[in-house]
Amino acid sequence: MRALLVVNPAATTTSARTREVLTHALASDLKLEVAETRYRGHARDLARQATEGGETELVVALGGDGTVNEVVNGLLANGPDPESHPRLAVVPGGSTNVFARALGLPNDVVEATGALLDALRDGSERTIGLGLAAGTPGTEDEGVPERWFTFCAGFGFDAGVVGRVEQQRERGKRSTHALYMRQVVRQFLGEANRRQGVITLERPGGEDGAEGTAEIVENLALAIICNTAPWSYLGNRPIYPSPDASFDTALDLFALSKLSPSAVARYATQLLTSTPERGPHGKHALSLHDLTNFTLHSQVPLPFQMDGDHLGLRTSVTFTGVRRALRVIV
């Protein structure tokens, strides 16, 4: 099988020696080309070139969730076509590796490489759904290009936390769970819209987006969009705001209408104790499952993130859940 290995040399949990060993292991079973990323967006460009070249059958992403996201956007640059596009494989090398773990892969680069080789020999793969976010027609963000995400997106509070973490990492801080928790506290203390939410959910009316009266929910304070469960991990503890989210369905939405200290304490506790059977719940929580199409508007520009990558401020984002978008080796 002709394969491209896209390597992020700055991946958090891999060394040059480890990457060399893994490359040799993969090359023993694959006709392997190796490319290291040199700039932000390079993994996307490499995957797109491999797809358009027509000869590559497999693209392997060695890195964290950001590298995986770029590779997926390169593979689907011209739209989803799982039958003809190269398959995707992932070797987790980041600090959290949500996508790889959600697929059931080991959170260790050596073990994950072994699992990948076994899956290739067995011909084991699945076709998964993905999320697509785009600028909303008729708004100031309508020109924002479409972008795919693999496991989550966030509008508001959680995206603000992601942005703060990225700023700290640019200053040389390591990406640790303690760093995330400190930024959560700082984001909450600086949150200007916690008493009165500024996000409005607009969903096409009728069942599964069919024609009818649009559903509108106003005054939401944060919104988390999930393409799978769990949403993230705190150490080895999975966090489930939307336990029913799945690669086999469209998108799930979890939102809160209040971010008072008492509400945050209650829902944070529920998140930390969430399970695949039960997520956060209460009068300030909104949970929707298997949404094919919806839009989030904000009265003020809010932080936006996808797959843990902060993408700046937005006032409106339209989401689409696309079933059976990409083949993945598992």
Side-chain angles (χ1 to χ4, degrees):
M1 180 181 290
R2 187 180 181 91
L4 170 67
L5 173 62
V6 178
V7 179
N8 179 1
T12 308
T13 58
T14 63
S15 64
R17 176 59 179 164
T18 302
R19 292 192 293 271
E20 181 181 353
V21 171
L22 299 182
T23 299
H24 281 299
L26 292 171
S28 65
D29 279 30
L30 299 167
K31 186 176 181 181
L32 190 68
E33 177 187 353
V34 181
E36 290 193 353
T37 60
R38 298 190 301 271
Y39 53 85
R40 186 167 185 168
H42 194 192
R44 177 199 60 221
D45 296 342
L46 292 167
R48 179 171 185 167
Q49 291 165 10
T51 302
E52 294 175 344
E55 297 180 353
T56 302
E57 300 171 81
L58 173 69
V59 176
V60 183
L62 171 53
D65 289 312
T67 303
V68 174
N69 179 277
E70 287 192 11
V71 168
V72 167
N73 275 277
L75 292 172
L76 277 65
N78 296 312
D81 189 354
E83 298 306 316
S84 66
H85 286 175
R87 301 168 181 84
L88 170 71
V90 178
V91 178
S95 58
T96 310
N97 306 307
V98 178
F99 179 68
R101 294 162 85 174
L103 286 171
L105 295 172
N107 193 35
D108 174 84
V109 290
V110 177
E111 292 182 11
T113 301
L116 169 58
L117 291 172
D118 289 342
L120 288 169
R121 291 164 187 154
D122 295 339
S124 177
E125 64 179 57
R126 64 181 291 193
T127 304
I128 65 169
L130 297 170
L132 182 65
T136 306
T139 72
E140 62 185 63
D141 291 324
E142 66 178 340
V144 176
E146 295 180 339
R147 181 161 172 169
W148 297 89
F149 60 96
T150 63
F151 65 91
C152 84
F155 195 40
F157 184 87
D158 83 301
V161 174
V162 170
R164 288 175 178 271
V165 170
E166 285 192 5
Q167 289 178 350
Q168 294 299 313
R169 293 187 65 182
E170 290 172 358
R171 296 170 184 166
K173 299 290 182 65
R174 292 186 65 244
S175 179
T176 64
H177 299 294
L179 175 63
Y180 271 90
M181 295 308 296
R182 289 196 298 272
Q183 303 315 312
V184 166
V185 173
R186 290 173 180 171
Q187 181 67 23
F188 173 73
L189 294 176
E191 179 61 56
N193 305 302
R194 69 188 189 199
R195 295 188 180 277
Q196 180 68 41
V198 295
I199 301 171
T200 296
L201 164 68
E202 183 178 349
R203 183 184 175 196
E207 185 175 351
D208 198 27
E211 292 186 4
T213 303
E215 176 185 3
I216 295 177
V217 182
E218 298 179 316
N219 301 325
L220 300 174
L222 69 80
I224 293 173
I225 301 91
C226 291
N227 185 53
T228 189
W231 162 62
S232 190
Y233 291 83
L234 186 61
N236 290 321
R237 180 189 292 275
I239 308 297
Y240 296 93
S242 299
D244 293 331
S246 167
F247 288 127
D248 298 321
T249 62
L251 301 174
D252 280 32
L253 172 71
F254 172 75
L256 291 177
S257 59
K258 191 174 185 180
L259 287 178
S260 66
S262 60
V264 168
R266 179 167 61 253
Y267 291 113
T269 300
Q270 290 183 1
L271 276 172
L272 291 174
T273 57
S274 58
T275 69
E277 291 75 36
R278 187 171 178 82
H281 52 279
K283 65 179 181 179
H284 301 301
L286 172 68
S287 295
L288 297 173
H289 175 58
D290 198 14
L291 304 180
T292 300
N293 184 271
F294 61 96
T295 296
L296 296 175
H297 302 281
S298 174
Q299 299 169 27
V300 298
L302 291 179
F304 179 58
Q305 67 89 9
M306 289 198 293
D307 288 347
D309 187 10
H310 187 264
L311 300 177
L313 302 178
R314 302 281 178 86
T315 56
S316 185
V317 187
T318 294
F319 296 91
T320 306
V322 182
R323 295 174 175 84
R324 299 185 59 80
L326 184 67
R327 288 186 298 173
V328 182
I329 302 295
V330 290

